[in-house]
Amino acid sequence: MTMVAMIIISIGVLFNFFGCIGLIRLPDVYNRLQAATKCVTLGCCSILLGVFIHFGFTDAGIKGLIAIPLLFFSATVAAHALIRGTYHFGVKMSDKSVKDDYKSASK
Amino acid sequence: MNTWLEILLYVQIALSGVCLYRIIRGPTIPDRMVAIDIFGILVVGVCAIISILTGKKFIVDIGIAWIILSFIGTLTLAKYLSGKKLNE
Amino acid sequence: MRYVAFFILGLVFWLLLTFKLTVANLIAGAVASLLCTLIFARYYFTGVVKFIQPQRWFWFLVYLVRFIFSCIKANLDVAYRVLHPKMPIRPGIVKVKTSLKSDFAKTLLANSITMTPGTLTVDIIDDCFYIHWIYIRSEDPEVYTKMIMGAFEKYIKKFAE
């Protein structure tokens, strides 16, 4: 059982690593937010699942299990609020962008 | 087994350091806020790994509290970014 | 009706968090969830009857499996774009129309879109979603509507409308 938990936690840390590389490499704030939110959220959900498998059906295991939907909804809603705030703050999109439908609607 | 878990813990802390780099260097203000949000999520993973490593079960509680506080903090920062008052 | 549902949900959440089945703990949880019910319950749960229909739960499970699969695919997609030396990105914001009506279903659809490959919801105005896409594959509105929504709209319509 401990072995399975180790493998799942390792996969989670690997996804976190990809997310942080995205935070460094990508060109503008929208793409950074996109890559980092997806990878880091799934990575931390995976680590919490590892906690549940390691402790089993005890109090700490159940707490790890109910932290997963909590983390999930809070991370997605926070990403949505941040990207909307960034657009209204007036940060330009990078040169590679090809389309912007939101410009006319946000006025 | 414990050695591998310690290595994972150090990797996770180093990733938080990467977020600190983006907080210091970020060219605009929203860059820094995104990095703060990601930092808050990474700390939850650190809490979970420490709770397995030491066997103390209350550290998972700290992780849950951290999720909620980081969520409220990020929402406040986003409200500030979009230029609204806090009661709208 | 909705007050009762909120109270039961709060009590179950308290019992899972504390994980002790004693009388003192039950009384404390009842008081805490009663306070939460009095303050917050009027904002949530417009149709409580939906909770006790079994076919909705079945479609919810189908949606959950499909969603987890697509979530893992999204992560591999991001890893490919980040590790590629030239970074194949072509970002932009597109506008997509939906046919869902209730607020809960729209919120769920927006959260699903945020976790699927390469897309992130920026804003919802009436029934239009504005979506930031990291690699725009097509210029035709009908084609990209089908690509972004995928199967989620169909499933969510079945269990949340």
Side-chain angles (χ1 to χ4, degrees):
Chain A
M1 230 26 176
T2 318
M3 201 66 212
V4 180
M6 286 302 155
I7 292 171
I8 288 182
I9 292 175
S10 308
I11 292 173
V13 173
L14 191 67
F15 277 142
N16 284 347
F17 180 65
F18 290 147
C20 285
I21 291 182
L23 199 62
I24 294 293
R25 278 197 72 194
L26 287 171
D28 71 339
V29 59
Y30 302 98
N31 298 318
R32 270 177 216 146
L33 181 57
Q34 170 135 209
T37 303
K38 278 191 188 98
C39 278
V40 173
T41 305
L42 195 79
C44 280
C45 283
S46 172
I47 291 177
L48 287 170
L49 191 67
V51 169
F52 169 65
I53 290 175
H54 182 267
F55 283 117
F57 280 96
T58 57
D59 50 352
I62 297 290
K63 273 167 202 161
L65 199 58
I66 63 175
I68 292 176
L70 211 60
L71 176 63
F72 196 82
F73 278 102
S74 71
T76 46
V77 173
H80 165 70
L82 268 178
I83 195 170
R84 188 165 175 276
T86 306
Y87 199 96
H88 284 280
F89 189 70
V91 178
K92 295 274 190 302
M93 298 175 72
S94 75
D95 302 333
K96 291 181 179 175
S97 309
V98 290
K99 201 169 183 183
D100 191 358
D101 281 346
Y102 189 52
K103 188 180 262 180
S104 56
S106 63
K107 288 286 162 8
Chain B
M1 200 60 83
N2 268 348
T3 321
W4 177 240
L5 205 55
E6 274 184 31
I7 294 174
L8 289 184
L9 178 64
Y10 292 142
V11 170
Q12 187 88 1
I13 294 175
L15 294 180
S16 313
V18 169
C19 286
L20 282 182
Y21 167 80
R22 184 49 80 188
I23 291 175
I24 295 167
R25 271 295 302 280
T28 59
I29 297 172
D31 275 313
R32 299 189 167 106
M33 293 188 177
V34 170
I36 289 171
D37 181 32
I38 301 304
F39 185 80
I41 302 176
L42 281 175
V43 169
V44 178
V46 173
C47 286
I49 293 180
I50 288 179
S51 90
I52 290 184
L53 197 59
T54 62
K56 293 189 171 64
K57 293 180 175 176
F58 67 94
I59 301 182
V60 184
D61 293 358
I62 301 175
I64 292 178
W66 199 287
I67 293 172
I68 298 169
L69 287 179
S70 150
F71 174 57
I72 294 172
T74 308
L75 281 193
T76 316
L77 292 177
K79 277 275 187 195
Y80 158 70
L81 272 186
S82 57
K84 287 183 179 172
K85 298 274 172 52
L86 288 181
N87 56 4
E88 271 179 80
Chain C
M1 190 66 195
R2 78 167 75 160
Y3 288 85
V4 177
F6 196 92
F7 179 74
I8 291 172
L9 209 63
L11 195 58
V12 166
F13 193 69
W14 171 274
L15 286 181
L16 280 179
L17 264 185
T18 54
F19 215 71
K20 252 186 311 187
L21 206 62
T22 58
V23 178
N25 195 17
L26 266 177
I27 292 174
V31 170
S33 43
L34 193 67
L35 272 178
C36 281
T37 308
L38 289 181
I39 299 172
F40 294 116
R42 57 195 151 146
Y43 300 117
Y44 298 103
F45 296 144
T46 46
V48 183
V49 189
K50 289 175 192 167
F51 273 96
I52 45 178
Q53 292 172 340
Q55 77 270 22
R56 287 183 191 272
W57 288 97
F58 171 72
W59 285 113
F60 176 69
L61 285 182
V62 173
Y63 160 78
L64 207 63
V65 172
R66 179 82 173 66
F67 176 69
I68 291 172
F69 177 70
S70 136
C71 197
I72 294 170
K73 208 173 96 187
N75 278 274
L76 297 179
D77 181 71
V78 168
Y80 163 70
R81 292 200 195 293
V82 163
L83 292 180
H84 199 282
K86 284 180 191 162
M87 279 198 296
I89 60 173
R90 199 161 165 259
I93 295 180
V94 297
K95 176 182 173 184
V96 169
K97 272 195 190 306
T98 176
S99 60
L100 296 175
K101 291 290 182 293
S102 71
D103 282 348
F104 176 66
K106 274 185 202 167
T107 313
L108 214 53
L109 184 59
N111 274 349
S112 314
I113 287 173
T114 299
M115 292 312 277
T116 45
T119 51
L120 183 59
T121 313
V122 178
D123 204 352
I124 305 175
I125 299 176
D126 295 331
D127 61 343
C128 295
F129 281 39
Y130 293 88
I131 288 168
H132 182 265
W133 202 357
I134 203 169
Y135 191 88
I136 294 185
R137 292 205 190 92
S138 119
E139 297 289 330
D140 186 15
E142 290 185 1
V143 176
Y144 65 64
T145 300
K146 192 169 278 182
M147 268 184 199
I148 288 175
M149 297 287 184
F152 293 128
E153 196 178 11
K154 200 173 61 192
Y155 292 139
I156 289 177
K157 188 175 275 185
K158 276 182 179 142
F159 77 83
E161 274 285 286

